Amino acid sequence: RDKFIEGFSHAAAAKGGLQVGIGQTGARLPENIPSSIRPAILQVGERTFYEAYIPAMRLTLLLPVTVLTLAAIAVFFVKRGPGPDDEPVEEDDAAPAAAAD
Protein backbone atom coordinates (compact mmCIF):
# COMPACT_ATOMS: atom_id res chain seq x y z
CA ARG A 1 0.00 0.00 0.00
CA ASP A 2 2.81 2.42 0.85
CA LYS A 3 4.42 1.89 -2.56
CA PHE A 4 1.09 2.50 -4.25
CA ILE A 5 0.61 5.82 -2.44
CA GLU A 6 4.24 6.76 -3.02
CA GLY A 7 3.74 6.14 -6.76
CA PHE A 8 0.93 8.68 -6.88
CA SER A 9 3.01 11.15 -4.89
CA HIS A 10 5.86 10.86 -7.38
CA ALA A 11 3.48 11.11 -10.34
CA ALA A 12 1.94 14.32 -8.98
CA ALA A 13 5.39 15.83 -8.40
CA ALA A 14 6.63 14.92 -11.90
CA LYS A 15 7.17 17.49 -14.66
CA GLY A 16 3.64 17.33 -16.08
CA GLY A 17 1.98 16.29 -12.86
CA LEU A 18 -0.77 13.73 -12.60
CA GLN A 19 -3.16 14.57 -15.44
CA VAL A 20 -6.55 12.90 -15.34
CA GLY A 21 -9.46 13.90 -17.55
CA ILE A 22 -10.79 13.46 -21.06
CA GLY A 23 -8.07 11.86 -23.15
CA GLN A 24 -5.78 11.43 -20.14
CA THR A 25 -4.75 8.09 -18.73
CA GLY A 26 -3.24 9.26 -15.45
CA ALA A 27 0.02 7.75 -14.29
CA ARG A 28 1.91 5.40 -16.58
CA LEU A 29 3.39 2.14 -15.44
CA PRO A 30 7.19 1.91 -15.53
CA GLU A 31 8.61 0.20 -18.59
CA ASN A 32 10.60 -2.34 -16.55
CA ILE A 33 7.42 -4.12 -15.29
CA PRO A 34 7.06 -7.56 -16.90
CA SER A 35 4.25 -7.80 -19.44
CA SER A 36 2.75 -10.75 -17.55
CA ILE A 37 2.21 -8.61 -14.43
CA ARG A 38 1.07 -5.44 -16.21
CA PRO A 39 -2.62 -6.54 -16.70
CA ALA A 40 -2.90 -7.49 -13.02
CA ILE A 41 -1.61 -4.08 -11.92
CA LEU A 42 -4.00 -2.30 -14.29
CA GLN A 43 -6.86 -4.43 -12.97
CA VAL A 44 -6.00 -3.53 -9.36
CA GLY A 45 -5.94 0.16 -10.28
CA GLU A 46 -9.30 -0.07 -12.05
CA ARG A 47 -10.83 -2.06 -9.22
CA THR A 48 -9.53 0.46 -6.68
CA PHE A 49 -11.13 3.26 -8.67
CA TYR A 50 -14.53 1.59 -8.93
CA GLU A 51 -14.67 0.09 -5.44
CA ALA A 52 -13.11 2.93 -3.43
CA TYR A 53 -13.13 6.23 -5.29
CA ILE A 54 -16.64 6.09 -6.73
CA PRO A 55 -18.38 5.12 -3.44
CA ALA A 56 -16.36 7.75 -1.57
CA MET A 57 -17.33 10.36 -4.15
CA ARG A 58 -21.01 9.44 -3.84
CA LEU A 59 -20.92 9.79 -0.06
CA THR A 60 -19.03 13.06 -0.32
CA LEU A 61 -21.58 14.53 -2.74
CA LEU A 62 -24.53 13.30 -0.69
CA LEU A 63 -24.10 15.94 2.01
CA PRO A 64 -24.08 19.06 -0.23
CA VAL A 65 -27.00 17.73 -2.30
CA THR A 66 -28.97 17.07 0.89
CA VAL A 67 -28.22 20.55 2.26
CA LEU A 68 -29.25 22.21 -1.02
CA THR A 69 -32.46 20.18 -1.15
CA LEU A 70 -33.38 21.09 2.42
CA ALA A 71 -32.59 24.76 1.73
CA ALA A 72 -34.80 24.72 -1.37
CA ILE A 73 -37.66 23.18 0.62
CA ALA A 74 -37.15 25.68 3.46
CA VAL A 75 -37.68 28.57 1.01
CA PHE A 76 -41.33 27.58 0.70
CA PHE A 77 -41.83 28.01 4.45
CA VAL A 78 -40.39 31.52 4.66
CA LYS A 79 -43.08 34.14 5.22
CA ARG A 80 -42.66 37.72 4.17
CA GLY A 81 -42.89 40.19 7.02
CA PRO A 82 -43.45 43.92 6.82
CA GLY A 83 -40.61 45.70 5.07
CA PRO A 84 -39.04 49.02 6.02
CA ASP A 85 -41.13 50.88 3.38
CA ASP A 86 -44.43 49.33 4.42
CA GLU A 87 -46.60 51.65 6.47
CA PRO A 88 -48.89 50.05 9.01
CA VAL A 89 -52.58 50.43 8.20
CA GLU A 90 -54.56 51.85 11.12
CA GLU A 91 -57.89 50.13 11.53
CA ASP A 92 -59.59 53.20 13.06
CA ASP A 93 -59.06 55.29 9.91
CA ALA A 94 -59.97 52.48 7.55
CA ALA A 95 -63.35 51.70 9.16
CA PRO A 96 -65.01 55.19 8.77
CA ALA A 97 -63.81 55.48 5.17
CA ALA A 98 -65.43 52.17 4.33
CA ALA A 99 -68.66 53.15 6.12
CA ALA A 100 -68.84 56.47 4.25
CA ASP A 101 -69.14 54.72 0.87
Side-chain angles (χ1 to χ4, degrees):
R1 179 173 180 223
D2 293 333
K3 289 183 180 183
F4 184 75
I5 294 172
E6 184 180 330
F8 277 100
S9 298
H10 289 307
K15 179 182 173 186
L18 182 61
Q19 303 291 323
V20 179
I22 296 175
Q24 302 292 328
T25 58
R28 299 192 190 279
L29 293 176
E31 297 297 327
N32 59 356
I33 292 178
S35 60
S36 61
I37 298 175
R38 189 174 291 271
I41 293 174
L42 293 173
Q43 184 181 16
V44 167
E46 184 177 350
R47 190 171 179 188
T48 301
F49 179 77
Y50 286 112
E51 292 183 8
Y53 179 75
I54 299 292
M57 181 182 63
R58 285 184 183 148
L59 288 174
T60 302
L61 290 176
L62 183 64
L63 179 64
V65 168
T66 303
V67 169
L68 286 174
T69 303
L70 291 175
I73 292 170
V75 166
F76 293 111
F77 295 104
V78 174
K79 295 183 181 181
R80 185 172 183 234
D85 295 337
D86 295 339
E87 294 181 21
V89 177
E90 295 181 21
E91 292 181 22
D92 295 338
D93 293 339
D101 289 334

PDB file of all heavy atoms in Angstrom, residues 20 22 26 39 41 45 52 56 61 76-78 84 87-88 92 94:
ATOM      1  N   VAL A  20      -5.439  13.825 -15.170  1.00  0.00           N
ATOM      2  CA  VAL A  20      -6.552  12.905 -15.337  1.00  0.00           C
ATOM      3  C   VAL A  20      -7.731  13.706 -15.861  1.00  0.00           C
ATOM      4  O   VAL A  20      -8.098  14.724 -15.319  1.00  0.00           O
ATOM      5  CB  VAL A  20      -6.930  12.225 -14.001  1.00  0.00           C
ATOM      6  CG1 VAL A  20      -8.099  11.284 -14.186  1.00  0.00           C
ATOM      7  CG2 VAL A  20      -5.738  11.487 -13.434  1.00  0.00           C
ATOM      8  N   ILE A  22     -10.466  13.969 -19.734  1.00  0.00           N
ATOM      9  CA  ILE A  22     -10.787  13.458 -21.063  1.00  0.00           C
ATOM     10  C   ILE A  22      -9.502  13.298 -21.862  1.00  0.00           C
ATOM     11  O   ILE A  22      -8.709  14.219 -21.991  1.00  0.00           O
ATOM     12  CB  ILE A  22     -11.759  14.390 -21.786  1.00  0.00           C
ATOM     13  CG1 ILE A  22     -13.077  14.429 -21.031  1.00  0.00           C
ATOM     14  CG2 ILE A  22     -11.977  13.958 -23.227  1.00  0.00           C
ATOM     15  CD1 ILE A  22     -14.070  15.410 -21.591  1.00  0.00           C
ATOM     16  N   GLY A  26      -3.785   9.218 -16.800  1.00  0.00           N
ATOM     17  CA  GLY A  26      -3.237   9.261 -15.454  1.00  0.00           C
ATOM     18  C   GLY A  26      -1.778   8.867 -15.439  1.00  0.00           C
ATOM     19  O   GLY A  26      -1.032   9.152 -16.364  1.00  0.00           O
ATOM     20  N   PRO A  39      -1.151  -6.504 -16.764  1.00  0.00           N
ATOM     21  CA  PRO A  39      -2.625  -6.541 -16.701  1.00  0.00           C
ATOM     22  C   PRO A  39      -3.157  -6.632 -15.273  1.00  0.00           C
ATOM     23  O   PRO A  39      -4.183  -6.047 -14.948  1.00  0.00           O
ATOM     24  CB  PRO A  39      -3.002  -7.788 -17.504  1.00  0.00           C
ATOM     25  CG  PRO A  39      -1.829  -8.063 -18.368  1.00  0.00           C
ATOM     26  CD  PRO A  39      -0.629  -7.568 -17.623  1.00  0.00           C
ATOM     27  N   ILE A  41      -1.765  -5.400 -12.554  1.00  0.00           N
ATOM     28  CA  ILE A  41      -1.609  -4.084 -11.923  1.00  0.00           C
ATOM     29  C   ILE A  41      -2.687  -3.127 -12.422  1.00  0.00           C
ATOM     30  O   ILE A  41      -3.289  -2.387 -11.646  1.00  0.00           O
ATOM     31  CB  ILE A  41      -0.195  -3.527 -12.173  1.00  0.00           C
ATOM     32  CG1 ILE A  41       0.834  -4.387 -11.445  1.00  0.00           C
ATOM     33  CG2 ILE A  41      -0.093  -2.074 -11.732  1.00  0.00           C
ATOM     34  CD1 ILE A  41       2.271  -4.027 -11.740  1.00  0.00           C
ATOM     35  N   GLY A  45      -5.669  -1.278 -10.222  1.00  0.00           N
ATOM     36  CA  GLY A  45      -5.936   0.159 -10.285  1.00  0.00           C
ATOM     37  C   GLY A  45      -7.378   0.450 -10.654  1.00  0.00           C
ATOM     38  O   GLY A  45      -8.025   1.322 -10.054  1.00  0.00           O
ATOM     39  N   ALA A  52     -13.467   2.004  -4.505  1.00  0.00           N
ATOM     40  CA  ALA A  52     -13.108   2.931  -3.429  1.00  0.00           C
ATOM     41  C   ALA A  52     -13.441   4.372  -3.795  1.00  0.00           C
ATOM     42  O   ALA A  52     -14.127   5.065  -3.049  1.00  0.00           O
ATOM     43  CB  ALA A  52     -11.623   2.805  -3.093  1.00  0.00           C
ATOM     44  N   ALA A  56     -16.747   6.613  -2.398  1.00  0.00           N
ATOM     45  CA  ALA A  56     -16.358   7.752  -1.566  1.00  0.00           C
ATOM     46  C   ALA A  56     -16.876   9.057  -2.169  1.00  0.00           C
ATOM     47  O   ALA A  56     -17.337   9.949  -1.452  1.00  0.00           O
ATOM     48  CB  ALA A  56     -14.841   7.803  -1.418  1.00  0.00           C
ATOM     49  N   LEU A  61     -20.614  13.657  -2.069  1.00  0.00           N
ATOM     50  CA  LEU A  61     -21.576  14.525  -2.735  1.00  0.00           C
ATOM     51  C   LEU A  61     -22.964  14.453  -2.114  1.00  0.00           C
ATOM     52  O   LEU A  61     -23.793  15.329  -2.346  1.00  0.00           O
ATOM     53  CB  LEU A  61     -21.651  14.174  -4.218  1.00  0.00           C
ATOM     54  CG  LEU A  61     -20.420  14.545  -5.024  1.00  0.00           C
ATOM     55  CD1 LEU A  61     -20.571  14.062  -6.461  1.00  0.00           C
ATOM     56  CD2 LEU A  61     -20.184  16.043  -5.005  1.00  0.00           C
ATOM     57  N   PHE A  76     -39.871  27.555   0.785  1.00  0.00           N
ATOM     58  CA  PHE A  76     -41.326  27.581   0.701  1.00  0.00           C
ATOM     59  C   PHE A  76     -41.986  27.895   2.047  1.00  0.00           C
ATOM     60  O   PHE A  76     -43.155  28.272   2.084  1.00  0.00           O
ATOM     61  CB  PHE A  76     -41.852  26.248   0.161  1.00  0.00           C
ATOM     62  CG  PHE A  76     -41.468  26.014  -1.260  1.00  0.00           C
ATOM     63  CD1 PHE A  76     -40.556  25.025  -1.588  1.00  0.00           C
ATOM     64  CD2 PHE A  76     -41.998  26.791  -2.274  1.00  0.00           C
ATOM     65  CE1 PHE A  76     -40.197  24.800  -2.905  1.00  0.00           C
ATOM     66  CE2 PHE A  76     -41.648  26.580  -3.593  1.00  0.00           C
ATOM     67  CZ  PHE A  76     -40.745  25.590  -3.913  1.00  0.00           C
ATOM     68  N   PHE A  77     -41.272  27.747   3.133  1.00  0.00           N
ATOM     69  CA  PHE A  77     -41.828  28.011   4.452  1.00  0.00           C
ATOM     70  C   PHE A  77     -41.478  29.399   4.997  1.00  0.00           C
ATOM     71  O   PHE A  77     -41.879  29.749   6.094  1.00  0.00           O
ATOM     72  CB  PHE A  77     -41.369  26.928   5.447  1.00  0.00           C
ATOM     73  CG  PHE A  77     -41.896  25.574   5.099  1.00  0.00           C
ATOM     74  CD1 PHE A  77     -41.077  24.616   4.516  1.00  0.00           C
ATOM     75  CD2 PHE A  77     -43.225  25.253   5.331  1.00  0.00           C
ATOM     76  CE1 PHE A  77     -41.564  23.360   4.188  1.00  0.00           C
ATOM     77  CE2 PHE A  77     -43.717  24.000   5.001  1.00  0.00           C
ATOM     78  CZ  PHE A  77     -42.894  23.054   4.427  1.00  0.00           C
ATOM     79  N   VAL A  78     -40.752  30.173   4.231  1.00  0.00           N
ATOM     80  CA  VAL A  78     -40.386  31.517   4.661  1.00  0.00           C
ATOM     81  C   VAL A  78     -41.561  32.440   4.381  1.00  0.00           C
ATOM     82  O   VAL A  78     -42.104  32.467   3.277  1.00  0.00           O
ATOM     83  CB  VAL A  78     -39.115  32.006   3.910  1.00  0.00           C
ATOM     84  CG1 VAL A  78     -38.819  33.445   4.252  1.00  0.00           C
ATOM     85  CG2 VAL A  78     -37.942  31.120   4.236  1.00  0.00           C
ATOM     86  N   PRO A  84     -39.291  47.693   5.467  1.00  0.00           N
ATOM     87  CA  PRO A  84     -39.042  49.019   6.021  1.00  0.00           C
ATOM     88  C   PRO A  84     -39.883  50.112   5.332  1.00  0.00           C
ATOM     89  O   PRO A  84     -40.175  51.133   5.933  1.00  0.00           O
ATOM     90  CB  PRO A  84     -37.550  49.252   5.775  1.00  0.00           C
ATOM     91  CG  PRO A  84     -37.169  48.278   4.717  1.00  0.00           C
ATOM     92  CD  PRO A  84     -38.127  47.145   4.807  1.00  0.00           C
ATOM     93  N   GLU A  87     -46.016  50.876   5.381  1.00  0.00           N
ATOM     94  CA  GLU A  87     -46.601  51.650   6.472  1.00  0.00           C
ATOM     95  C   GLU A  87     -47.728  50.839   7.076  1.00  0.00           C
ATOM     96  O   GLU A  87     -48.530  50.245   6.351  1.00  0.00           O
ATOM     97  CB  GLU A  87     -47.138  52.972   5.934  1.00  0.00           C
ATOM     98  CG  GLU A  87     -46.034  53.878   5.420  1.00  0.00           C
ATOM     99  CD  GLU A  87     -46.598  55.191   4.917  1.00  0.00           C
ATOM    100  OE1 GLU A  87     -47.721  55.556   5.323  1.00  0.00           O
ATOM    101  OE2 GLU A  87     -45.923  55.833   4.126  1.00  0.00           O
ATOM    102  N   PRO A  88     -47.802  50.815   8.389  1.00  0.00           N
ATOM    103  CA  PRO A  88     -48.891  50.054   9.009  1.00  0.00           C
ATOM    104  C   PRO A  88     -50.234  50.725   8.721  1.00  0.00           C
ATOM    105  O   PRO A  88     -50.352  51.947   8.698  1.00  0.00           O
ATOM    106  CB  PRO A  88     -48.553  50.076  10.498  1.00  0.00           C
ATOM    107  CG  PRO A  88     -47.593  51.194  10.676  1.00  0.00           C
ATOM    108  CD  PRO A  88     -46.916  51.402   9.353  1.00  0.00           C
ATOM    109  N   ASP A  92     -58.637  52.146  12.724  1.00  0.00           N
ATOM    110  CA  ASP A  92     -59.590  53.197  13.063  1.00  0.00           C
ATOM    111  C   ASP A  92     -59.898  54.081  11.861  1.00  0.00           C
ATOM    112  O   ASP A  92     -61.023  54.500  11.636  1.00  0.00           O
ATOM    113  CB  ASP A  92     -59.060  54.038  14.226  1.00  0.00           C
ATOM    114  CG  ASP A  92     -58.942  53.215  15.506  1.00  0.00           C
ATOM    115  OD1 ASP A  92     -59.640  52.186  15.605  1.00  0.00           O
ATOM    116  OD2 ASP A  92     -58.119  53.578  16.361  1.00  0.00           O
ATOM    117  N   ALA A  94     -59.447  53.259   8.643  1.00  0.00           N
ATOM    118  CA  ALA A  94     -59.972  52.476   7.546  1.00  0.00           C
ATOM    119  C   ALA A  94     -61.448  52.200   7.703  1.00  0.00           C
ATOM    120  O   ALA A  94     -62.192  52.172   6.731  1.00  0.00           O
ATOM    121  CB  ALA A  94     -59.193  51.173   7.418  1.00  0.00           C
TER     122      ALA A  94
END
